[in-house]
Amino acid sequence: MKLLRYGPIGSERPACLDAEGQMRDLSGVVADINGESLSPESLARLAALDLTGLPVVEGAPRLGSAIARPGKFLCVGLNYADHAKETGKEPPTEPILFAKASNAICGPNDDVEIPRASEKTDWEVELGIVIGSRAKYVSEAEALDYVAGYTLVNDVSERAFQSERGGQWVKGKSHDTFGPVGPWMVTKDEFDDIQNIDLWLDVDGERRQTGNTKTMIFGVAHLVHYISQFMTLEPGDIIATGTPPGVGLGMKPPTFLRAGQVVTLGADGLGEQRQRMVQA
């Protein structure tokens, strides 16, 4: 099942895709695609719906973030060994955790702002985990039971803000629009093996990133288990799981985004995003 949100910024409505890929409005069924509607019980009710009886969404409306107002937007750094190598870092022995501020979240095809004084705005295609049940001290063997589904994330980053301005990574990760999420959240039952998902990203039509989740250092189940030892994960929380190689920082010479460029990205089963870079 693919769940999504559509409409103007701040007025998005819940929807799903039917078997033909047609968008169906869910406003009469759930208030939004959020923590409450992502519980196992709610997802079971949605899966049992006769989608042909739901209103068709006409045209091609703007898509919002696939998840409304996540309580936490967590990220995992350097989770692909080849990406760690291209940045000059040793692969971590434990997951590196950081957060993006909630204001970074935007729709999958919204414009992305290059911050004022930015020198090194970069791209990162990532698999996003969406939590469906409250997870605290969960075992790795049970961790996937707490997952509602998966989504596509572009972990946009300003490398100078992140690494050269002191403090923690969060200020290089949290500018407005630095977290496109979607186009939809896909429930976990649609994936036979989440650790074998191809990801890609292009800048102006040129391939920059190609990877597969099988090369993650720490897999999805381990990440949910690990993070739940430090904080309680709540329904609707998003975990961006790290990026494969090919970021601008790792190019020779390093290459970063400019206003007017277009970034497109995608992953198996998770759809595609498209963002135009604009100056803040």
Side-chain angles (χ1 to χ4, degrees):
M1 181 167 52
K2 294 180 174 65
L3 302 175
L4 63 152
R5 302 169 65 247
Y6 73 97
I9 295 173
S11 300
E12 293 91 346
R13 298 165 65 93
C16 62
L17 295 186
D18 64 21
E20 285 71 45
Q22 174 67 59
M23 200 183 306
R24 300 278 182 164
D25 188 277
L26 286 173
S27 298
V29 183
V30 293
D32 211 337
I33 307 301
N34 54 20
E36 182 178 353
S37 61
L38 295 173
S39 71
E41 297 77 16
S42 178
L43 290 179
R45 288 194 296 271
L46 292 174
L49 289 174
D50 177 6
L51 300 186
T52 60
L54 296 175
V56 172
V57 178
E58 302 291 351
R62 170 192 172 269
L63 298 182
S65 166
I67 308 299
R69 299 177 296 282
K72 290 187 285 295
F73 192 178
L74 302 171
C75 303
V76 183
L78 304 178
N79 197 28
Y80 289 72
D82 36 12
H83 170 58
K85 181 178 179 181
E86 74 176 347
T87 63
K89 305 287 180 60
E90 290 294 322
T93 57
E94 291 193 40
I96 296 172
L97 303 181
F98 62 93
K100 295 175 87 79
S102 59
N103 60 275
I105 296 171
C106 66
N109 304 316
D110 289 346
D111 290 347
V112 166
E113 293 184 356
I114 296 179
R116 297 176 186 178
S118 169
E119 300 173 350
K120 300 179 180 180
T121 298
D122 206 347
W123 55 84
E124 296 189 25
V125 60
E126 306 200 7
L127 168 73
I129 305 167
V130 181
I131 299 298
S133 299
R134 191 171 187 268
K136 181 176 183 177
Y137 296 121
V138 303
S139 69
E140 186 165 347
E142 297 175 332
L144 295 185
D145 295 341
Y146 296 82
V147 173
Y150 304 96
T151 191
L152 184 65
V153 174
N154 187 358
D155 176 19
V156 186
S157 310
E158 212 300 339
R159 303 300 188 186
F161 296 178
Q162 176 185 351
S163 302
E164 301 170 21
R165 298 286 297 273
Q168 300 182 1
W169 288 5
V170 63
K171 65 187 177 186
K173 297 284 189 171
S174 296
H175 192 272
D176 295 352
T177 71
F178 267 26
V181 174
W184 40 69
M185 188 212 77
V186 186
T187 50
K188 62 185 177 184
D189 58 287
E190 292 204 13
F191 295 94
D192 293 328
D193 183 4
I194 198 60
Q195 297 302 156
N196 187 19
I197 300 296
D198 288 329
L199 304 98
W200 58 270
L201 182 144
D202 294 348
V203 178
D204 288 341
E206 295 186 9
R207 184 58 45 94
R208 298 297 171 92
Q209 288 188 273
T210 303
N212 186 288
T213 57
K214 66 186 176 184
T215 65
M216 289 166 59
I217 299 170
F218 306 105
V220 168
H222 183 78
L223 291 174
V224 174
H225 152 72
Y226 181 86
I227 296 170
S228 78
Q229 310 305 303
F230 300 96
M231 65 192 81
T232 300
L233 294 168
E234 301 285 356
D237 287 351
I238 298 172
I239 305 167
T241 58
T243 197
V247 300
L249 179 65
M251 297 180 68
K252 300 186 185 306
T255 302
F256 300 106
L257 293 166
R258 306 181 307 276
Q261 291 189 297
V262 173
V263 173
T264 51
L265 57 148
D268 287 347
L270 294 173
E272 299 183 7
Q273 299 184 359
R274 181 186 187 277
Q275 295 113 29
R276 182 172 61 96
M277 302 298 116
V278 298
Q279 193 64 50

